[in-house]
Amino acid sequence: MTEIPTRFDHTKEAEIYQKWEKAGEFKPKGSGEPFSIIIPPPNVTGDLHLGHALTYGLQDTVARHARRHGKKVLMVPGADHAAIAVQALVEKKIQKEKGLSRTQLGREKFLEEVQDWTAHYLPRVKESLKRFGLSADWGHFRFTMDEHSQLAVKTAFVELYEKKLIYRGEYLVNWDPKLQTAISDDEVLNEDRPAKLYWLKYGPLTVATSRPETQFGDVAIAVNPKDKRYEKYVGQEVEIVLATGQKKKLPVIADEFVDPEFGTGAVKITPAHDKNDFEAGQRHNLPVVQTIDKYGKLTDLAGEWAGLKALEAREPIVKKLEELGLVEKVTDYNARVAISERSGAIIEPLISTQWFMKTTELKDAALKAVKLGDIKFTPKNVEKVYFHWLNNLHDWCISRQLWWGHELPVWHCQNWSAKTKSQKSNPKNNEGFIVALEKPKVCPICGECAMEQDPDTLDTWFSAGLWPLATLGWPDKTAPDLKEYYPTSFLETGQDILFFWVARMIMMSQALTGEIPFKEVLFHGLILDDQGKKMSKSKGNTMDPLALIDKYGSDALRMSLIGGNSPGLPQRYTETKLLKYRNFVTKIWNAARFVASTGNSKSQIPNPKQLDETEKKFLEKLSRLEESNHKDFKTYKLGLALEELYEFFWHDFADQLLEYEKKVLLESADETRKAQAEAVLQDSLKRLLVLLSDFAPFLVTEINQTMFDA
């Protein structure tokens, strides 16, 4: 046998992966039970981070375990176009490189820049996934903006619209004045910030508000119906004076959303710029008066302050109100400020015409699927969070005012007017648009114009919500993969996208197919630094997984992320943990190197009758480990399974059995006893390597090929 090096050369991992691919190792094989995994598609926003390494390490470990238990495994890889994130990054790039804004560059040229961006990062994403050891079938690779995905998205939109689950309407949305688009509730971060509470005199009443600059859009004063202080005012009108000096009459309404303990117990109602106020306005049939535009600036209603950003106008407006004797007092206040997750801009609630999906009509089925156990969450406590979110759900605003993303299959008549709307010949086209997969050759509304496509694009999570379907061939309902592998078997993802992605996949799959999209979901927690803080580039506490693979190898990285970690819980991560598993890799390699030197048989099986007590106890314990390992995988306690394997291999096998049998091999004159020692070592090692192959596939492959010609 050629000389075996004393350490595993992890730089060979890329070569090993190529051999796996060439041999078709990751294509579904056999006639076992179909087992499908769709990976959460990483965004093409840049290079992958440590959280990705954890996600794909867990998924791949589960996939490899399923394969070795005879299942016909299909793991589908892919990537997401990440509309809002990529658009924001490309906007920064062209501003820095060309000194141009998106609008100055123009839509066509801007989308060329986006294509260049994705062309650069998409291959890097694929290569990173391979370096993580992901045993995916690359022939199934999907990008959420590829031709098939675009067809799936358009088809879904049309079908959901025809089922009256998608509608167009005017509603209060979260508006990002920096990115100039609506965003969903789940893309908003709420931060507590020190602020001021302004106590303003509104006729005979005093209201407390943190946003006096919106008073030009006030349409009512609200009090709690149980608040005795204001009983005589309910149903009456009071006259107020605005900062402009203009007088205005406001009705006093009673609504239970008002907290009698907040401020004076009386609040001003501005439906155009506050979510609670909007809903109260809907209940009381109040008008909507917009006083802040899409750029976050005050409209002409604000008089001399028109054109100023709302926040800039606040103090001048308060100063004027003080001069008019309308400010009772100003107190400190801890305000919850809504921030756009992507741009960092302060969100401005804004009335806007958008497209919505009736998730409120889909939530009951989504609740039922988890409550009845059709979909199993691990850890189980995630269910409570999921139920709470669904029970407090609003319809989902799915349209975005972005250039990069899936275009809506909506076509607008260019001659539409009140006249064409009233024509009896077009009773179904009374909104000036149609929803269809392709642009009509002749406008069905006016019969003359060349219809124009809606300029909006879809929220990224709309296409992501179709991922289990689109990756398996839908909308072709006869697609072989769809028939064999849907619903998918297993999903692993971060708990932080439970609402963004998991819940929406469930609702969209049920709406389009009547089926659940997956049977089991494993959630992992965040990776934190050694101080317990979330890793982020802005904090400078991130770790590059590819650099760590270069230094220590993919197997060591994977095991360091999985070992000792429980489902759903955050973990503190340092390079020290990585060193522990790099040393484990070396320990396995050297133990295997010694065993390989003791004999050449490929299938030495120890004779049970010749086992001594030490060997019997060891092999009994090994059998219990194998049973425990299988149980741990069934309950997705992968961190526990790895730790048990680590302890057993290092201490029971390497430190005890191997040293025990080594002494026999060196000192015994009995050739039969020596052969038995060799057989015990060979058999035990091979059984342990089988278990280790789920967690350290590169290492185990190299050991088998280099030392045992397997």
Side-chain angles (χ1 to χ4, degrees), residues 195-199 208-211 262-263 329-333:
K196 300 290 183 184
L197 198 60
Y198 302 89
W199 303 60
T209 178
S210 60
R211 301 195 72 192
F262 175 79
K329 61 180 176 178
V330 180
T331 57
D332 291 328
Y333 173 61

Side-chain angles (χ1 to χ4, degrees), residues 87 404 633:
Q87 176 152 321
W404 172 234
F633 267 85

Side-chain angles (χ1 to χ4, degrees), residues 423-689:
Q423 288 177 355
K424 293 181 180 178
S425 58
N426 295 303
K428 293 182 180 179
N429 296 307
N430 62 356
E431 293 184 289
F433 65 83
I434 66 160
V435 174
L437 285 176
E438 302 294 338
K439 179 179 179 178
K441 292 180 180 178
V442 178
C443 174
I445 298 173
C446 73
E448 300 173 359
C449 77
M451 303 190 88
E452 288 191 7
Q453 191 166 10
D454 196 293
D456 286 353
T457 54
L458 282 164
D459 180 7
T460 302
W461 296 103
F462 187 92
S463 52
L466 298 170
W467 191 238
L469 290 166
T471 50
L472 296 176
W474 191 91
D476 178 2
K477 295 176 177 61
T478 64
D481 286 340
L482 196 65
K483 285 187 171 183
E484 185 167 14
Y485 293 107
Y486 188 84
T488 58
S489 310
F490 172 78
L491 174 71
E492 200 291 326
T493 189
Q495 205 167 317
D496 54 333
I497 55 174
L498 170 63
F499 315 130
F500 283 118
W501 192 43
V502 177
R504 286 170 178 164
M505 282 192 284
I506 294 171
M507 286 188 282
M508 293 182 78
S509 293
Q510 289 177 319
L512 292 165
T513 69
E515 292 188 78
I516 56 173
F518 31 70
K519 299 168 187 173
E520 295 189 283
V521 187
L522 172 64
F523 294 95
H524 67 256
L526 292 174
I527 300 177
L528 310 174
D529 66 12
D530 58 348
Q531 302 298 312
K533 295 178 181 176
K534 184 179 178 180
M535 289 188 177
S536 70
K537 289 182 181 178
S538 61
K539 293 177 184 173
N541 62 351
T542 57
M543 300 172 76
D544 179 1
L546 298 182
L548 294 175
I549 288 174
D550 287 340
K551 191 174 180 181
Y552 299 107
S554 178
D555 288 338
L557 177 64
R558 178 191 299 204
M559 289 192 286
S560 71
L561 289 166
I562 295 175
N565 193 31
S566 298
L569 295 181
Q571 61 168 305
R572 295 191 183 196
Y573 188 82
T574 66
E575 210 162 332
T576 302
K577 194 179 180 191
L578 188 43
L579 283 167
K580 168 186 172 179
Y581 284 96
R582 191 280 308 272
N583 293 340
F584 186 41
V585 166
T586 302
K587 186 78 170 179
I588 297 166
W589 179 266
N590 282 324
R593 186 170 176 266
F594 174 79
V595 173
S597 69
T598 65
N600 296 315
S601 173
K602 290 183 180 180
S603 57
Q604 287 198 45
I605 305 296
N607 186 339
K609 293 179 181 179
Q610 295 176 351
L611 294 175
D612 64 21
E613 282 305 306
T614 297
E615 292 168 332
K616 281 181 183 177
K617 285 181 180 178
F618 174 84
L619 291 173
E620 286 170 1
K621 195 170 182 180
L622 176 56
S623 293
R624 290 197 296 272
L625 175 71
E626 290 168 328
E627 291 173 10
S628 175
N629 177 274
H630 193 49
K631 287 178 183 176
D632 287 340
F633 267 85
K634 278 191 170 183
T635 53
Y636 298 116
K637 295 175 181 174
L638 308 189
L640 178 61
L642 177 54
E643 283 299 294
E644 289 175 344
L645 188 49
Y646 174 95
E647 292 295 327
F648 187 92
F649 191 99
W650 195 293
H651 301 296
D652 294 85
F653 178 69
D655 289 352
Q656 295 177 29
L657 181 76
L658 193 145
E659 293 301 321
Y660 176 77
E661 301 292 24
K662 185 188 290 186
K663 190 175 180 182
V664 170
L665 293 171
L666 290 173
E667 298 177 3
S668 177
D670 185 342
E671 292 302 319
T672 302
R673 179 68 188 89
K674 280 179 155 182
Q676 180 70 3
E678 289 178 2
V680 170
L681 285 174
Q682 294 256 349
D683 180 63
S684 300
L685 175 67
K686 288 173 183 176
R687 287 166 66 181
L688 285 167
L689 289 177

Side-chain angles (χ1 to χ4, degrees), residues 55-234:
T55 294
Y56 304 124
L58 287 165
Q59 285 180 11
D60 188 62
T61 299
V62 169
R64 290 177 184 274
H65 183 83
R67 275 193 202 95
R68 72 177 177 86
H69 281 275
K71 293 183 179 179
K72 188 179 178 183
V73 176
L74 171 65
M75 186 190 290
V76 180
D80 192 283
H81 66 288
I84 194 168
V86 168
Q87 176 152 321
L89 288 166
V90 175
E91 284 194 51
K92 288 179 183 176
K93 179 175 179 283
I94 61 172
Q95 184 67 51
K96 182 179 179 181
E97 294 178 357
K98 302 182 180 184
L100 296 173
S101 68
R102 167 170 57 106
T103 50
Q104 287 172 322
L105 190 64
R107 187 164 187 156
E108 188 176 336
K109 290 289 185 184
F110 179 79
L111 289 176
E112 287 177 9
E113 292 281 344
V114 172
Q115 294 294 347
D116 289 344
W117 177 282
T118 57
H120 174 74
Y121 280 106
L122 202 52
R124 292 166 72 99
V125 165
K126 288 182 180 180
E127 186 57 32
S128 297
L129 293 173
K130 291 180 179 183
R131 293 198 66 193
F132 292 156
L134 192 72
S135 56
D137 181 359
W138 292 97
H140 278 79
F141 185 85
R142 289 253 75 89
F143 178 47
T144 54
M145 280 295 285
D146 64 24
E147 189 176 341
H148 178 83
S149 296
Q150 292 197 45
L151 173 63
V153 168
K154 286 191 291 186
T155 303
F157 189 98
V158 172
E159 288 191 13
L160 292 169
Y161 179 79
E162 289 174 348
K163 291 181 178 182
K164 301 189 185 306
L165 290 170
I166 285 180
Y167 64 94
R168 186 173 185 250
E170 198 174 58
Y171 202 79
L172 192 77
V173 298
N174 302 304
W175 185 261
D176 185 326
K178 189 173 181 180
L179 294 177
Q180 287 291 292
T181 182
I183 62 175
S184 70
D185 290 345
D186 302 316
E187 294 167 301
V188 176
L189 303 175
N190 290 298
E191 295 182 3
D192 288 330
R193 294 184 180 182
K196 300 290 183 184
L197 198 60
Y198 302 89
W199 303 60
L200 307 181
K201 294 177 182 177
Y202 269 38
L205 306 178
T206 298
V207 300
T209 178
S210 60
R211 301 195 72 192
E213 68 277 7
T214 63
Q215 69 165 195
F216 311 107
D218 290 349
V219 297
I221 298 170
V223 298
N224 191 289
K226 296 177 182 177
D227 196 331
K228 302 293 184 184
R229 294 172 294 176
Y230 302 112
E231 276 184 335
K232 65 179 180 179
Y233 294 106
V234 175

